[in-house]
Tab-separated table of all heavy atoms in Angstrom:
chain	number	residue	atom	x	y	z
A	1	ILE	N	115.074	81.681	93.789
A	1	ILE	CA	115.808	82.941	94.035
A	1	ILE	C	115.451	83.897	92.956
A	1	ILE	O	115.564	83.630	91.746
A	1	ILE	CB	117.341	82.716	94.022
A	1	ILE	CG1	117.750	81.655	95.027
A	1	ILE	CG2	118.061	84.041	94.338
A	1	ILE	CD1	119.215	81.197	94.825
A	2	ILE	N	114.961	85.069	93.341
A	2	ILE	CA	114.722	86.160	92.396
A	2	ILE	C	115.783	87.241	92.652
A	2	ILE	O	115.946	87.697	93.778
A	2	ILE	CB	113.297	86.747	92.551
A	2	ILE	CG1	112.239	85.704	92.206
A	2	ILE	CG2	113.129	88.000	91.667
A	2	ILE	CD1	110.819	86.133	92.431
A	3	GLN	N	116.473	87.620	91.557
A	3	GLN	CA	117.482	88.622	91.697
A	3	GLN	C	117.040	89.879	90.918
A	3	GLN	O	116.379	89.778	89.906
A	3	GLN	CB	118.838	88.125	91.113
A	3	GLN	CG	119.992	89.116	91.228
A	3	GLN	CD	120.123	89.991	89.990
A	3	GLN	OE1	119.432	89.833	89.003
A	3	GLN	NE2	121.039	90.957	90.047
A	4	GLY	N	117.319	91.053	91.461
A	4	GLY	CA	116.897	92.282	90.824
A	4	GLY	C	117.880	93.442	91.065
A	4	GLY	O	118.924	93.254	91.709
A	5	THR	N	117.536	94.554	90.516
A	5	THR	CA	118.373	95.743	90.640
A	5	THR	C	117.586	96.876	91.270
A	5	THR	O	116.364	96.932	91.127
A	5	THR	CB	118.933	96.211	89.276
A	5	THR	OG1	119.788	97.344	89.485
A	5	THR	CG2	117.802	96.585	88.362
A	6	LEU	N	118.268	97.806	91.920
A	6	LEU	CA	117.658	99.024	92.426
A	6	LEU	C	117.900	100.207	91.457
A	6	LEU	O	117.414	101.315	91.685
A	6	LEU	CB	118.243	99.365	93.796
A	6	LEU	CG	118.063	98.254	94.871
A	6	LEU	CD1	118.815	98.567	96.104
A	6	LEU	CD2	116.592	98.026	95.140
A	7	ALA	N	118.617	99.876	90.360
A	7	ALA	CA	118.745	100.894	89.269
A	7	ALA	C	117.621	100.617	88.275
A	7	ALA	O	116.582	100.100	88.617
A	7	ALA	CB	120.124	100.701	88.609
A	8	LYS	N	117.784	100.986	87.057
A	8	LYS	CA	116.864	100.693	85.969
A	8	LYS	C	115.408	101.101	86.343
A	8	LYS	O	115.142	102.300	86.532
A	8	LYS	CB	116.964	99.243	85.509
A	8	LYS	CG	118.402	98.948	85.012
A	8	LYS	CD	118.577	97.558	84.532
A	8	LYS	CE	119.956	97.326	83.918
A	8	LYS	NZ	121.074	97.377	84.877
A	9	GLY	N	114.529	100.131	86.519
A	9	GLY	CA	113.140	100.503	86.813
A	9	GLY	C	112.904	101.260	88.098
A	9	GLY	O	111.962	102.043	88.213
A	10	PHE	N	113.826	101.166	89.045
A	10	PHE	CA	113.737	101.887	90.312
A	10	PHE	C	114.596	103.155	90.345
A	10	PHE	O	114.510	103.949	91.276
A	10	PHE	CB	114.057	101.006	91.486
A	10	PHE	CG	113.075	99.836	91.668
A	10	PHE	CD1	113.529	98.519	91.827
A	10	PHE	CD2	111.703	100.049	91.617
A	10	PHE	CE1	112.640	97.480	91.959
A	10	PHE	CE2	110.800	99.005	91.747
A	10	PHE	CZ	111.276	97.720	91.922
A	11	GLY	N	115.535	103.275	89.396
A	11	GLY	CA	116.188	104.541	89.162
A	11	GLY	C	117.310	104.921	90.120
A	11	GLY	O	117.764	106.043	90.073
A	12	VAL	N	117.760	104.023	90.994
A	12	VAL	CA	118.798	104.413	91.956
A	12	VAL	C	120.047	103.577	91.648
A	12	VAL	O	120.576	103.672	90.562
A	12	VAL	CB	118.291	104.236	93.404
A	12	VAL	CG1	119.220	104.885	94.398
A	12	VAL	CG2	116.904	104.921	93.533
A	13	VAL	N	120.539	102.759	92.566
A	13	VAL	CA	121.694	101.929	92.273
A	13	VAL	C	121.739	100.822	93.349
A	13	VAL	O	121.300	101.046	94.485
A	13	VAL	CB	123.029	102.717	92.247
A	13	VAL	CG1	123.359	103.245	93.641
A	13	VAL	CG2	124.156	101.906	91.695
A	14	GLY	N	122.268	99.670	92.958
A	14	GLY	CA	122.368	98.538	93.910
A	14	GLY	C	121.660	97.329	93.360
A	14	GLY	O	120.961	97.406	92.343
A	15	GLY	N	121.870	96.166	94.006
A	15	GLY	CA	121.227	94.938	93.598
A	15	GLY	C	120.698	94.176	94.788
A	15	GLY	O	120.962	94.551	95.954
A	16	TYR	N	119.982	93.067	94.551
A	16	TYR	CA	119.435	92.302	95.659
A	16	TYR	C	119.019	90.933	95.200
A	16	TYR	O	118.944	90.637	93.996
A	16	TYR	CB	118.180	93.037	96.233
A	16	TYR	CG	117.024	93.129	95.284
A	16	TYR	CD1	116.035	92.086	95.267
A	16	TYR	CD2	116.863	94.221	94.485
A	16	TYR	CE1	114.983	92.220	94.392
A	16	TYR	CE2	115.785	94.324	93.619
A	16	TYR	CZ	114.854	93.282	93.569
A	16	TYR	OH	113.788	93.349	92.692
A	17	ILE	N	118.809	90.068	96.195
A	17	ILE	CA	118.141	88.776	95.948
A	17	ILE	C	116.997	88.649	96.918
A	17	ILE	O	117.031	89.258	98.019
A	17	ILE	CB	119.104	87.597	96.090
A	17	ILE	CG1	119.762	87.558	97.460
A	17	ILE	CG2	120.126	87.582	94.971
A	17	ILE	CD1	120.517	86.281	97.765
A	18	ALA	N	115.987	87.889	96.588
A	18	ALA	CA	114.867	87.602	97.476
A	18	ALA	C	114.624	86.089	97.399
A	18	ALA	O	114.600	85.490	96.301
A	18	ALA	CB	113.600	88.341	97.041
A	19	ALA	N	114.465	85.467	98.567
A	19	ALA	CA	114.313	84.014	98.620
A	19	ALA	C	113.837	83.586	100.001
A	19	ALA	O	113.301	84.412	100.755
A	19	ALA	CB	115.636	83.349	98.309
A	20	SER	N	113.979	82.338	100.351
A	20	SER	CA	113.581	81.854	101.700
A	20	SER	C	114.524	82.471	102.716
A	20	SER	O	115.657	82.883	102.407
A	20	SER	CB	113.691	80.351	101.768
A	20	SER	OG	115.061	79.898	101.731
A	21	ALA	N	114.082	82.515	103.973
A	21	ALA	CA	114.918	83.106	105.051
A	21	ALA	C	116.207	82.353	105.216
A	21	ALA	O	117.291	82.941	105.403
A	21	ALA	CB	114.125	83.083	106.338
A	22	ASN	N	116.184	81.017	105.112
A	22	ASN	CA	117.397	80.233	105.296
A	22	ASN	C	118.388	80.498	104.168
A	22	ASN	O	119.603	80.621	104.420
A	22	ASN	CB	117.054	78.746	105.377
A	22	ASN	CG	116.525	78.343	106.726
A	22	ASN	OD1	116.783	79.001	107.730
A	22	ASN	ND2	115.766	77.253	106.747
A	23	LEU	N	117.892	80.508	102.908
A	23	LEU	CA	118.829	80.722	101.795
A	23	LEU	C	119.471	82.117	101.896
A	23	LEU	O	120.662	82.255	101.683
A	23	LEU	CB	118.067	80.547	100.477
A	23	LEU	CG	118.918	80.492	99.223
A	23	LEU	CD1	118.257	79.681	98.114
A	23	LEU	CD2	119.285	81.880	98.686
A	24	ILE	N	118.658	83.119	102.214
A	24	ILE	CA	119.173	84.479	102.373
A	24	ILE	C	120.230	84.500	103.469
A	24	ILE	O	121.317	85.128	103.331
A	24	ILE	CB	118.082	85.478	102.623
A	24	ILE	CG1	117.145	85.622	101.389
A	24	ILE	CG2	118.604	86.846	103.049
A	24	ILE	CD1	117.819	86.229	100.193
A	25	ASP	N	119.959	83.866	104.572
A	25	ASP	CA	120.935	83.874	105.664
A	25	ASP	C	122.227	83.193	105.303
A	25	ASP	O	123.301	83.573	105.737
A	25	ASP	CB	120.308	83.215	106.923
A	25	ASP	CG	120.917	83.709	108.221
A	25	ASP	OD1	121.739	84.644	108.168
A	25	ASP	OD2	120.571	83.151	109.272
A	26	VAL	N	122.162	82.114	104.468
A	26	VAL	CA	123.359	81.450	104.031
A	26	VAL	C	124.222	82.379	103.166
A	26	VAL	O	125.462	82.519	103.398
A	26	VAL	CB	123.036	80.187	103.254
A	26	VAL	CG1	124.204	79.702	102.431
A	26	VAL	CG2	122.586	79.056	104.189
A	27	VAL	N	123.582	83.123	102.231
A	27	VAL	CA	124.368	84.052	101.408
A	27	VAL	C	124.916	85.202	102.263
A	27	VAL	O	126.064	85.640	102.112
A	27	VAL	CB	123.508	84.578	100.228
A	27	VAL	CG1	124.291	85.619	99.425
A	27	VAL	CG2	123.055	83.455	99.362
A	28	ARG	N	124.116	85.694	103.212
A	28	ARG	CA	124.562	86.717	104.125
A	28	ARG	C	125.760	86.274	104.946
A	28	ARG	O	126.689	87.063	105.164
A	28	ARG	CB	123.427	87.066	105.103
A	28	ARG	CG	123.686	88.223	106.024
A	28	ARG	CD	122.627	88.368	107.125
A	28	ARG	NE	122.718	87.264	108.092
A	28	ARG	CZ	123.494	87.265	109.182
A	28	ARG	NH1	124.226	88.320	109.432
A	28	ARG	NH2	123.528	86.242	110.008
A	29	SER	N	125.780	85.029	105.319
A	29	SER	CA	126.792	84.513	106.215
A	29	SER	C	128.038	83.977	105.492
A	29	SER	O	129.115	83.894	106.103
A	29	SER	CB	126.217	83.360	107.060
A	29	SER	OG	125.107	83.786	107.829
A	30	TYR	N	127.888	83.551	104.225
A	30	TYR	CA	129.007	82.966	103.455
A	30	TYR	C	129.428	83.749	102.229
A	30	TYR	O	130.527	83.524	101.730
A	30	TYR	CB	128.648	81.533	103.007
A	30	TYR	CG	128.566	80.539	104.126
A	30	TYR	CD1	127.414	80.263	104.826
A	30	TYR	CD2	129.678	79.779	104.477
A	30	TYR	CE1	127.302	79.304	105.829
A	30	TYR	CE2	129.643	78.788	105.481
A	30	TYR	CZ	128.461	78.594	106.177
A	30	TYR	OH	128.398	77.628	107.173
A	31	GLY	N	128.568	84.646	101.742
A	31	GLY	CA	128.875	85.287	100.461
A	31	GLY	C	129.946	86.345	100.587
A	31	GLY	O	129.763	87.406	101.196
A	32	GLN	N	131.117	86.075	99.954
A	32	GLN	CA	132.237	87.011	100.101
A	32	GLN	C	131.996	88.373	99.501
A	32	GLN	O	132.461	89.394	100.033
A	32	GLN	CB	133.489	86.327	99.496
A	32	GLN	CG	133.924	85.061	100.223
A	32	GLN	CD	135.203	84.473	99.653
A	32	GLN	OE1	135.987	85.176	99.027
A	32	GLN	NE2	135.402	83.195	99.905
A	33	GLY	N	131.286	88.434	98.374
A	33	GLY	CA	130.964	89.733	97.759
A	33	GLY	C	130.023	90.549	98.602
A	33	GLY	O	129.916	91.750	98.337
A	34	PHE	N	129.352	89.935	99.563
A	34	PHE	CA	128.477	90.680	100.475
A	34	PHE	C	129.266	91.055	101.769
A	34	PHE	O	129.123	92.182	102.250
A	34	PHE	CB	127.248	89.826	100.853
A	34	PHE	CG	126.414	90.441	101.902
A	34	PHE	CD1	125.462	91.429	101.583
A	34	PHE	CD2	126.489	90.073	103.231
A	34	PHE	CE1	124.666	92.025	102.561
A	34	PHE	CE2	125.722	90.652	104.208
A	34	PHE	CZ	124.808	91.615	103.874
A	35	ILE	N	130.031	90.095	102.271
A	35	ILE	CA	130.682	90.290	103.552
A	35	ILE	C	131.791	91.347	103.521
A	35	ILE	O	131.841	92.246	104.357
A	35	ILE	CB	131.265	88.940	104.044
A	35	ILE	CG1	130.154	87.926	104.318
A	35	ILE	CG2	132.115	89.165	105.308
A	35	ILE	CD1	130.678	86.526	104.600
A	36	PHE	N	132.644	91.250	102.463
A	36	PHE	CA	133.879	92.041	102.499
A	36	PHE	C	133.808	93.300	101.678
A	36	PHE	O	134.688	93.592	100.853
A	36	PHE	CB	135.020	91.154	101.986
A	36	PHE	CG	135.309	89.976	102.865
A	36	PHE	CD1	134.932	88.675	102.492
A	36	PHE	CD2	135.907	90.135	104.116
A	36	PHE	CE1	135.166	87.593	103.305
A	36	PHE	CE2	136.148	89.026	104.952
A	36	PHE	CZ	135.776	87.750	104.523
A	37	THR	N	132.784	94.128	101.910
A	37	THR	CA	132.669	95.402	101.251
A	37	THR	C	131.833	96.345	102.073
A	37	THR	O	130.971	95.897	102.879
A	37	THR	CB	132.043	95.215	99.831
A	37	THR	OG1	132.151	96.436	99.133
A	37	THR	CG2	130.555	94.856	99.927
């Protein structure tokens, strides 16, 4: 899992993760900080 920001070097705001399709889908489907905002 590689985690990064859309601020700092990219100059905007936000964060992200990049990984396998299955792992990303698990966080998308179960991650409360992603779902409930």
